[in-house]
Amino acid sequence: MSLPPGVIRFVPLIFVLLWSTGFIGARFGLPYIEPFYLLLIRTLITLGVFLGLILIFRAKWPAPRQAMHQMVTGALVHGCYLGGVFAAIKWELPAGVTSILVGLQPVLTAVLAWGVMGQALQGRQWLGLLLGLLGVMLVLGTGLQPGQFELRPEAVISACIALFGISIGTLYQKRFGAGTDLLTGSFYQYLSTGLMMAVLTLAFEQHQIIWHPELIGALAWLVFGLSVTAILLLMLMIREGEVARVASYFYLVPPVTALEAWLLFDEQLSPLAVGGMVLAVAGVYLVLRVRTPSPK
């Protein structure tokens, strides 16, 4: 899967817009179904979609070793991240607090990339990562009400599993995913995710579901908008760029989600939240705008 350079420039913008709608889709769907059961159904449908795309485009299947690498990536990026976020919210950790914890991902990814893969960052990039983190905390933190919830250990652990899962998974895919077709690679990623969600829903849930139109619409969007399109774009960005730069785009997701929630659910935005959006955008700008040394 390759795209012209002119199109690749817009891939991060499209990815942010799509990824931000995941929280909106979950809000529409979760009142009618348990979280792990929703993720299992979503994954099974996604596997069918990818299998159809593989047959249409005659994508090359990876060797067994590459397939195992993709299954590890899927378990980390999809299974641990989605399962951890949904479990944390299920155990009554507010979505805003969960987002703040998971919002540490760009900084954690940059630190891991520096320590494990030797990808050095300039001072302005570190500053950008910290500014982006501060912006995300302002956007999400202004909607929290201290003292209105209890920090349950299992909820915090779940959010941390999500944080480390997507951070380590991004690095793992960068290191071991090279040369793997995006379609067949994604199929194996969701295969391992489906196995994880099957175990979780069998262990913790009652498999109750109400087939409401909002659930059907949310499920369709979560499959085609997120699990197929957004994930393919994420894998493409990881393949084409440094992981720290790719991770920095996640700072733009909470502000965009807040704007979508304002438009769809009339959730109010405080001046601090708007200021946080500006900081997040400025942080991503600093990470991406690297000064190249002038030729001697």
Side-chain angles (χ1 to χ4, degrees), residues 138 142 268-275:
L138 283 175
T142 52
Q268 298 303 307
L269 295 174
S270 69
L272 279 178
V274 176

Side-chain angles (χ1 to χ4, degrees), residues 120-131 242 244-245 283 286-290:
L121 297 181
Q122 299 179 8
R124 65 164 58 186
Q125 291 179 293
W126 285 112
L127 176 60
L129 289 171
L130 294 176
L131 280 179
E242 296 177 359
R245 291 164 63 89
L286 287 176
V287 173
L288 300 180
R289 294 288 295 180
V290 182

Side-chain angles (χ1 to χ4, degrees), residues 17-27 42 86 221-222 226 257 260:
L17 291 174
L18 290 175
W19 195 265
S20 66
T21 63
F23 297 96
I24 304 298
R27 178 163 177 173
R42 169 182 172 179
F86 277 69
W221 178 252
L222 289 173
L226 276 294
T257 302
E260 292 167 349

Side-chain angles (χ1 to χ4, degrees), residues 30 32-39 201 204-208:
L30 282 177
Y32 311 102
I33 188 173
E34 296 163 300
F36 295 138
Y37 196 30
L38 170 61
L39 290 173
T201 189
F204 298 110
E205 296 180 339
Q206 302 299 317
H207 313 119
Q208 298 175 350

Side-chain angles (χ1 to χ4, degrees), residues 203-276:
F204 298 110
E205 296 180 339
Q206 302 299 317
H207 313 119
Q208 298 175 350
I209 183 171
I210 300 173
W211 287 108
H212 191 276
E214 287 188 359
L215 171 60
I216 297 173
L219 192 57
W221 178 252
L222 289 173
V223 168
F224 293 98
L226 276 294
S227 294
V228 177
T229 308
I231 289 301
L232 285 176
L233 293 179
L234 176 60
M235 295 300 117
L236 180 64
M237 290 193 301
I238 292 174
R239 189 180 72 183
E240 300 292 334
E242 296 177 359
V243 289
R245 291 164 63 89
V246 172
S248 69
Y249 289 114
F250 283 87
Y251 278 151
L252 299 178
V253 173
V256 175
T257 302
L259 287 174
E260 292 167 349
W262 171 64
L263 290 171
L264 294 173
F265 307 115
D266 198 28
E267 293 185 2
Q268 298 303 307
L269 295 174
S270 69
L272 279 178
V274 176

Side-chain angles (χ1 to χ4, degrees), residues 125-207:
Q125 291 179 293
W126 285 112
L127 176 60
L129 289 171
L130 294 176
L131 280 179
L133 178 61
L134 177 59
V136 168
M137 293 179 69
L138 283 175
V139 171
L140 299 173
T142 52
L144 302 180
Q145 297 179 355
Q148 300 300 313
F149 62 93
E150 179 184 357
L151 283 177
R152 297 172 60 179
E154 60 269 29
V156 176
I157 291 173
S158 297
C160 290
I161 289 174
L163 166 63
F164 279 88
I166 194 168
S167 300
I168 297 173
T170 300
L171 291 170
Y172 191 94
Q173 175 67 9
K174 180 66 176 180
R175 184 158 188 173
F176 297 107
T180 304
D181 185 274
L182 293 181
L183 292 177
T184 53
S186 297
F187 179 87
Y188 278 109
Q189 289 178 22
Y190 281 112
L191 182 61
S192 63
T193 305
L195 293 174
M196 290 181 65
M197 292 305 112
V199 171
L200 289 171
T201 189
L202 288 173
F204 298 110
E205 296 180 339
Q206 302 299 317
H207 313 119

